Amino acid sequence: MNNDNLNQYNIEEIDLIQLFKSLKERSRFIFGFTGVVTLLAIGYVLFFSPPSQYKVETSFLKPSGSSVIKLNQYSLLKEKSKTANTANTANKDNTAESVFNEFLTTLNSKVLQREVFIDGGYEEKLGKVDVPSISITKNKDKAGVESPHILSTKGTNPVIVSEFLNEVLTAADNKTVNSLINVQKLIIANRLNKITTERQLLLTKAKQVRLSQIKRIKEADNQKLLEINNKIDAARLIARQERMNEIVKLIDAAELASSLNIIESNLNQLNKSTNNSNLNIAIQSGRNIPDWYLYGETALLKMIESLQARESDDPYIPELAILDNRIKEINNNNLLQTLEQRLDDSPFTTEIIQLDIETIQLESIMPDSTGINAMQLYQSSNSQIIPTKNRLKIVLAFIASFMLSILLVFLMNALKEEDITSVQKGK
């Protein structure tokens, strides 16, 4: 038993020595094969592998507080827009979060990225038709420090790709800010249009109120004129009736004087005789002296003729002057004339004055993007090469070719031994 183990050990030892001898004999083949394959791998890596890729990234933060304050500085605009339409989302105050979210949405737009790619001529600069794929990520929060967002992409030309990233970032910032500014301009324009409509309605209402007032004044004046004319007609009727009554009295007196043959006036005879003292006293006192005796027939007929020939009794009606004066006052109503001659009712309407003041204030607002940003650049674009697997490929090619060469040596030795054995058996 011990002899068998010893023999087996000797055989294995002889086989290993023989193995190493065979490997030594084929060392040139092994190293040559391994070197050729390794050189081929190196040549492939140098001449056929794609160019090195670079990772380009830039980081940014939420907009500054001053930008948000400037966006919200138009308190009048906010108040009026809220009053105009409280349901409008544009009426809400801008916050750093809302502005930044809108910026991220714009930045992530493929349309914007395509526009920058085409307008910037990057199709020729990068020698490719497709827009580089851009990703937006956020760094992990640091204690007490706002974590920036990172905009990154890959490319073989780090300088051009960095330029492209910067332009995309700038374009998104400008587009976001301009969008916010345009919203404010739209609010102003809508409010001005609404003010114009409200002002026109108020002017129409004021005009209707003025026309109604004019109508009321005219109706009141017409009523006053009617009453005064009625008084004038009544006064004229009374004066005419009194004149007709006076004519009748004088006709009766003239007939009586004629019947008594008192033709001429007896006024010049009253003071010639002392017997007429009582009559004189009566004449001076104006009592109980008959007209037929005082005037006589001739004077009475003249008086009747004069009364009958009178065309108008107006000069003998004292109140007509007062009534005529009132008619002139009514016809020359200053308030009515002022209301009829007024061309613009706006100075007399408080609401219109307030709207005009608001219009001036709104027109004085000129929203612009100066000093406003939708983000803050935290770190400008930088690039770093993406590690390739070329070295690993070369190492794997070396190891694989070395092991394959050894395997080939074993295979050649096995075939050689088989040939020797067959030759020996043939003998």
Side-chain angles (χ1 to χ4, degrees):
M1 186 62 128
N2 291 332
N3 291 332
D4 291 339
N5 291 336
L6 182 61
N7 291 333
Q8 185 178 1
Y9 174 78
N10 291 332
I11 293 172
E12 289 178 356
E13 183 177 358
I14 292 172
D15 291 339
L16 287 175
I17 294 173
Q18 188 65 31
L19 178 63
F20 283 115
K21 284 182 179 182
S22 63
L23 290 177
K24 184 177 180 181
E25 291 175 358
R26 302 284 185 176
S27 60
R28 289 185 178 181
F29 172 79
I30 293 172
F31 290 115
F33 181 83
T34 303
V36 170
V37 174
T38 304
L39 288 174
L40 290 175
I42 293 174
Y44 175 81
V45 168
L46 292 177
F47 297 102
F48 297 101
S49 64
S52 300
Q53 289 282 325
Y54 292 85
K55 182 179 181 181
V56 182
E57 61 182 25
T58 181
S59 56
F60 51 90
L61 301 169
K62 294 179 182 178
S64 61
S66 60
S67 294
V68 178
I69 292 173
K70 188 166 184 181
L71 279 173
N72 297 323
Q73 67 178 334
Y74 305 118
S75 58
L76 173 69
L77 174 61
K78 291 186 293 182
E79 291 173 1
K80 297 303 179 184
S81 61
K82 289 177 181 178
T83 303
N85 185 5
T86 54
N88 191 348
T89 56
N91 299 328
K92 298 179 180 179
D93 288 346
N94 293 302
T95 63
E97 190 69 29
S98 64
V99 173
F100 192 61
N101 288 338
E102 186 170 350
F103 166 76
L104 291 177
T105 302
T106 305
L107 181 63
N108 204 32
S109 170
K110 300 300 181 183
V111 176
L112 175 72
Q113 297 171 11
R114 184 70 183 175
E115 289 177 356
V116 175
F117 185 77
I118 298 299
D119 296 341
Y122 291 101
E123 186 174 358
E124 293 79 10
K125 294 178 182 179
L126 295 175
K128 56 189 300 186
V129 178
D130 297 331
V131 181
S133 178
I134 296 176
S135 64
I136 303 173
T137 56
K138 184 178 181 182
N139 273 354
K140 295 182 179 180
D141 293 334
K142 300 178 181 178
V145 179
E146 180 185 356
S147 57
H149 282 67
I150 297 176
L151 182 69
S152 62
T153 187
K154 297 177 182 179
T156 58
N157 192 330
V159 176
I160 302 300
V161 174
S162 297
E163 181 183 342
F164 171 69
L165 271 191
N166 289 333
E167 286 198 22
V168 169
L169 202 63
T170 302
D173 182 46
N174 292 336
K175 188 172 183 179
T176 303
V177 172
N178 290 334
S179 175
L180 296 172
I181 296 299
N182 289 335
V183 168
Q184 292 185 342
K185 290 180 179 179
L186 181 61
I187 293 174
I188 293 175
N190 290 339
R191 181 56 186 162
L192 287 174
N193 290 335
K194 189 165 185 178
I195 287 176
T196 301
T197 303
E198 291 178 1
R199 193 179 190 279
Q200 189 61 42
L201 291 174
L202 288 172
L203 280 175
T204 303
K205 181 180 178 181
K207 182 178 180 180
Q208 292 299 325
V209 170
R210 177 169 58 85
L211 293 177
S212 298
Q213 187 178 1
I214 290 173
K215 187 175 181 180
R216 287 195 301 271
I217 292 174
K218 285 184 176 180
E219 289 181 354
D221 287 350
N222 290 335
Q223 183 64 30
K224 292 177 183 178
L225 289 173
L226 180 62
E227 293 175 357
I228 292 173
N229 287 327
N230 289 336
K231 290 180 180 180
I232 290 174
D233 292 341
R236 285 173 176 170
L237 183 61
I238 292 171
R240 182 178 180 278
Q241 188 63 43
E242 289 177 350
R243 179 168 58 84
M244 299 304 295
N245 293 339
E246 185 66 19
I247 290 173
V248 172
K249 289 180 182 180
L250 292 176
I251 290 173
D252 291 341
E255 290 177 353
L256 182 58
S258 176
S259 64
L260 295 175
N261 200 25
I262 300 176
I263 305 301
E264 300 298 332
S265 173
N266 291 314
L267 292 174
N268 57 354
Q269 301 294 328
L270 292 177
N271 294 325
K272 290 183 178 181
S273 174
T274 56
N275 297 328
N276 295 327
S277 59
N278 292 333
L279 181 60
N280 187 24
I281 294 172
I283 290 173
Q284 291 178 359
S285 63
R287 294 180 297 171
N288 302 323
I289 306 299
D291 291 339
W292 57 266
Y293 181 80
L294 291 174
Y295 301 107
E297 181 182 9
T298 302
L300 291 171
L301 290 176
K302 289 289 183 181
M303 293 173 66
I304 293 171
E305 183 181 354
S306 175
L307 290 173
Q308 289 176 341
R310 185 186 296 174
E311 295 181 357
S312 174
D313 296 313
D314 289 358
Y316 303 94
I317 305 175
E319 62 263 31
L320 281 185
I322 298 174
L323 295 175
D324 287 340
N325 187 52
R326 291 186 61 187
I327 290 175
K328 290 180 181 179
E329 290 178 353
I330 292 173
N331 290 331
N332 296 322
N333 191 323
N334 293 330
L335 177 59
L336 180 61
Q337 293 178 1
T338 301
L339 292 174
E340 289 178 333
Q341 295 173 2
R342 183 185 296 170
L343 300 178
D344 185 10
D345 294 309
S346 58
F348 306 92
T349 308
T350 306
E351 293 86 351
I352 292 180
I353 296 174
Q354 293 174 347
L355 291 176
D356 290 343
I357 294 173
E358 183 183 344
T359 299
I360 295 173
Q361 291 174 331
L362 289 173
E363 289 177 346
S364 66
I365 296 175
M366 300 296 292
D368 63 88
S369 58
T370 304
I372 301 177
N373 54 57
M375 61 89 193
Q376 297 182 84
L377 188 63
Y378 182 77
Q379 184 177 6
S380 58
S381 61
N382 59 83
S383 60
Q384 57 182 0
I385 191 169
I386 299 176
T388 61
K389 297 181 179 180
N390 292 338
R391 293 182 180 179
L392 180 60
K393 291 179 181 178
I394 295 173
V395 171
L396 290 176
F398 173 80
I399 295 173
S401 61
F402 180 75
M403 294 179 65
L404 181 60
S405 64
I406 294 175
L407 182 61
L408 290 174
V409 168
F410 289 158
L411 182 60
M412 287 187 294
N413 289 337
L415 292 175
K416 183 177 179 181
E417 290 178 358
E418 184 178 351
D419 292 340
I420 294 173
T421 303
S422 61
V423 171
Q424 290 176 354
K425 287 181 178 181
K427 290 181 179 182

